[in-house]
Amino acid sequence: MSTMNTVGRPTTPNAIEHDYKHPTLTGGRGLLQDEHLIFESDGWGKTGVDLPEPKGDGSDLGDLVRKDPIGLPGLSEPEAMRHYVRLSQKNHAIDLAIYPLGSCTMKHNPRLNEKMARLPGFSDIHPLQPQSTVQGALELMDQLAHWLKTLTGMPAVAMSPKAGAHGELCGLMAIRAAHEASGEHVKRRKVLVPTSAHGTNPATAAFVGYTVVEVAQTEDGRVDVADLASKLGDDVAAIMVTNPNTCGLFERDILEISRLTHEAGAYFYCDGANFNAIVGRVRPGDLGVDAMHINLHKTFSTPHGGGGPGAGPVVLSEALAPFAPAPWVVSDGDGFQLVERAEGDAAQAFGRLCAFQGQMGMYVRALSYMMSHGSDGLRQVAEDAVLNANYIKARLQDLMSPAFPEGPCMHEALFDDEWLKGTEVTTLDFAKAMIDEGFHPMTMYFPLVVHGAMLIEPTETESKQELDRFIAAMRALAEAAKAGDVDRFKGAPFHAPLRRLDETRAARQPVLRWTAPEGSNIAAE
Ligand SMILES: *Cc1c(COP(=O)(O)O)cnc(C)c1O
């Protein structure tokens, strides 16, 4: 009898020999065609649409009339379609398989969300339309604000920030405005940030003009409260703490942290990117948080990646509520209104954070996710996310080394590279080999406090079968690394459309403009 693993293959990892070294003749791979840039297609001199000859000579434009060809290839509809579908096949997608990026909370995006977001009353409206014509959209924003406040136990929310990092900016600007209002801004120049923080935290504090002071971490991966206490004083404007933190652990001393912070006259900014782990179970307002962004695109689904789109509403405590930026929605007997200019108490706000009112499409998807789950469902989101991460930790910890072996984790399983010692395989090599096995790598080398970190976040949307497939692949790779199969890792990925790239050079010297190859007739067309 042959034993099969959950992937449906023989259990020995090497039973199917990898034919690493044979590139195909065309660059295509197993029904996936190699695809060039659209400018490199031979679509010059033809057009995919049949339009009448334009009348007139465009003389309205005077000197500005274009004299050179516009330089766009003309493709037929099937050619254009194939180009983009082929490109899309080169990308990983959450609809294909698990996306175990820690900190990113890449979960399934229900199609219901998409259906709601495409309702014409949400998708075909313009931010400059008269408010009387967009009452439904304003009501939706109001309802979403209500649920964000309810789930966090906070009295106010600024809806307009467009991402988590933008929310951090909003929160710190509200904190700065509050210190300005009390006249303490001159001496409160520091923001305390733990070493394990996401890079956006210190970046935001510095951007707002604060000096960033690092707070140490304990052996068990949490904020060192004694170190924090020693750094708090009347020169501190705020602390920025992520909870659960970026090591995937709950800050046990959170109440003490907020007490000490408030005692020192500072505000507690909580990075809420990990709200997924506690939604429906813990209300940040009860922990003494003054401001917290919620990445709607993480906790409440909505597609994200590649830099957007996102939405990062910021919930605010009583103390910071008057400093919330415009606009916000109010309702009275006459329906819903967008307040564009702060008056009365709220006039202390720092103004607007961006044009218009935020990411409508994300609002619709997030509320759709909330309402389809209900309160019991949202609580289960947190419970399943934590259960899934602990399952991964438990199933891998005999082969790989958990960064914090003591006790359970929250929604992320974090390993270091201790277990790779002596194998010549690095975290990066391991991640590249995962691509060959069909899995998107986990987050690597973050948090910085963990050597060779591998941060795995399965989210609640992965089933046990999917987790078992992932675990089987991870175990097979870990065993291969330990068995000295170094080639498998050093040259990986062998099967991806592109091999190992010079990522440093790509970041330092990005080529953002396509230029026609020398001697080509493309430019002359
Ligand atoms: C994702 C993330 C952020 C930044 O959020 P964006 O929406 O990507 O701007 C900040 N902190 C942590 C811990 C995160 O995971």
Side-chain angles (χ1 to χ4, degrees):
M1 197 184 79
S2 77
T3 49
M4 303 289 269
N5 67 20
T6 50
V7 193
R9 295 209 187 120
T11 37
T12 34
N14 294 326
I16 294 175
E17 273 306 319
H18 281 248
D19 186 14
Y20 317 140
K21 287 162 192 129
H22 273 262
T24 56
L25 301 170
T26 55
R29 281 165 193 271
L31 294 182
L32 298 181
Q33 296 219 357
D34 194 23
E35 185 66 358
H36 300 286
L37 292 177
I38 203 160
F39 300 102
E40 288 157 12
S41 68
D42 65 352
W44 306 96
K46 66 176 183 185
T47 171
V49 280
D50 187 8
L51 295 173
E53 273 302 309
K55 294 202 181 75
D57 59 0
S59 55
D60 288 1
L61 295 173
D63 287 354
L64 299 174
V65 172
R66 173 182 278 281
K67 298 187 182 69
D68 309 326
I70 192 166
L72 290 178
L75 301 182
S76 68
E77 182 172 326
E79 284 174 320
M81 196 59 139
R82 282 187 181 157
H83 174 72
Y84 289 107
V85 172
R86 283 176 191 158
L87 285 188
S88 77
Q89 288 178 317
K90 296 188 192 304
N91 271 331
H92 187 67
I94 191 69
D95 291 341
L96 278 174
I98 182 173
Y99 220 128
L101 280 178
S103 224
C104 292
T105 314
M106 305 293 287
K107 58 173 76 174
H108 172 67
N109 300 294
R111 291 300 174 271
L112 176 68
N113 298 0
E114 298 305 314
K115 196 170 174 193
M116 294 300 113
R118 280 166 179 71
L119 291 175
F122 295 131
S123 64
D124 293 351
I125 55 179
H126 191 279
L128 293 177
Q129 239 170 280
Q131 294 187 18
S132 61
T133 64
V134 289
Q135 284 294 300
L138 294 181
E139 181 174 359
L140 179 132
M141 286 173 66
D142 191 55
Q143 270 202 32
L144 178 61
H146 166 77
W147 288 115
L148 293 175
K149 289 185 283 186
T150 305
L151 286 167
T152 55
M154 304 281 275
V157 60
M159 295 294 288
S160 64
K162 292 177 190 281
H166 204 207
E168 293 172 30
L169 180 66
C170 173
L172 284 206
M173 285 173 79
I175 287 170
R176 190 177 62 182
H179 286 311
E180 276 167 4
S182 69
E184 293 196 19
H185 60 293
V186 183
K187 61 177 189 216
R188 293 192 182 272
R189 304 295 321 139
K190 293 182 185 165
V191 169
L192 308 186
V193 181
T195 22
S196 65
H198 193 267
T200 50
N201 292 191
T204 303
F207 188 75
V208 177
Y210 288 116
T211 305
V212 177
V213 178
E214 273 196 22
V215 178
Q217 174 164 328
T218 57
E219 283 285 286
D220 71 349
R222 289 164 174 96
V223 171
D224 183 330
V225 181
D227 188 55
L228 176 80
S230 75
K231 288 171 178 162
L232 277 167
D234 64 3
D235 56 349
V236 174
I239 63 162
M240 294 180 91
V241 170
T242 311
N243 193 31
N245 67 24
T246 54
C247 297
L249 303 168
F250 194 83
E251 291 288 353
R252 283 189 217 104
D253 297 319
I254 192 83
L255 291 173
E256 180 66 358
I257 289 172
S258 62
R259 191 188 66 76
L260 288 167
T261 303
H262 293 145
E263 203 174 73
Y267 289 102
F268 180 0
Y269 187 91
C270 182
D271 179 331
N274 293 339
F275 193 43
N276 202 57
I278 56 172
V279 61
R281 300 274 317 196
V282 177
R283 302 190 314 166
D286 298 335
L287 306 178
V289 167
D290 289 300
M292 182 180 96
H293 71 259
I294 301 163
N295 308 61
L296 295 187
H297 48 288
K298 292 180 181 172
T299 305
F300 299 108
S301 70
T302 87
H304 69 114
V314 178
V315 286
L316 297 164
S317 64
E318 208 74 65
L320 290 181
F323 305 97
W328 56 83
V329 176
V330 293
S331 67
D332 53 28
D334 293 337
F336 296 88
Q337 278 177 324
L338 208 52
V339 178
E340 304 268 7
R341 194 161 286 124
E343 280 165 15
D345 265 2
Q348 307 173 85
F350 57 80
R352 299 187 70 102
L353 203 66
C354 56
F356 307 127
Q357 50 279 331
Q359 307 276 47
M360 193 64 205
M362 297 293 105
Y363 297 162
V364 181
R365 290 173 176 91
L367 187 65
S368 175
Y369 193 74
M370 284 180 188
M371 297 189 78
S372 53
H373 278 77
S375 57
D376 56 337
L378 282 182
R379 171 180 282 248
Q380 198 180 337
V381 160
E383 289 168 355
D384 289 353
V386 171
L387 181 64
N388 281 356
N390 278 286
Y391 181 63
I392 287 180
K393 184 181 177 195
R395 290 281 317 274
L396 294 179
Q397 65 187 359
D398 60 322
L399 276 176
M400 296 166 57
S401 43
F404 302 100
E406 282 301 309
C409 55
M410 294 295 288
H411 63 311
E412 295 169 315
L414 177 57
F415 298 90
D416 59 25
D417 62 357
E418 183 65 32
W419 66 280
L420 284 172
K421 267 213 177 124
T423 61
E424 288 175 50
V425 175
T426 64
T427 294
L428 180 75
D429 300 329
F430 189 85
K432 297 294 183 194
M434 285 171 72
I435 297 174
D436 281 336
E437 301 299 329
F439 289 95
H440 192 285
M442 67 268 133
T443 288
M444 298 178 283
Y445 302 107
F446 175 78
L448 303 178
V449 289
V450 169
H451 199 270
M454 305 181 192
L455 183 63
I456 302 171
E457 178 177 5
T459 82
E460 73 281 4
T461 55
E462 295 305 330
S463 64
K464 178 159 182 300
Q465 284 82 344
E466 283 291 328
L467 294 181
D468 284 337
R469 281 168 67 118
F470 175 73
I471 288 163
M474 293 291 278
R475 291 189 68 85
L477 281 175
E479 272 159 7
K482 289 186 177 189
D485 187 2
V486 178
D487 285 353
R488 175 185 301 277
F489 296 92
K490 286 293 172 202
F494 294 97
H495 301 288
L498 293 176
R499 302 286 302 278
R500 222 180 261 214
L501 307 177
D502 185 345
E503 289 167 19
T504 314
R505 201 169 141 222
R508 297 248 163 97
Q509 300 162 14
V511 180
L512 303 176
R513 181 183 289 263
W514 179 79
T515 41
E518 194 111 351
S520 78
N521 66 344
I522 290 172
E525 287 280 343

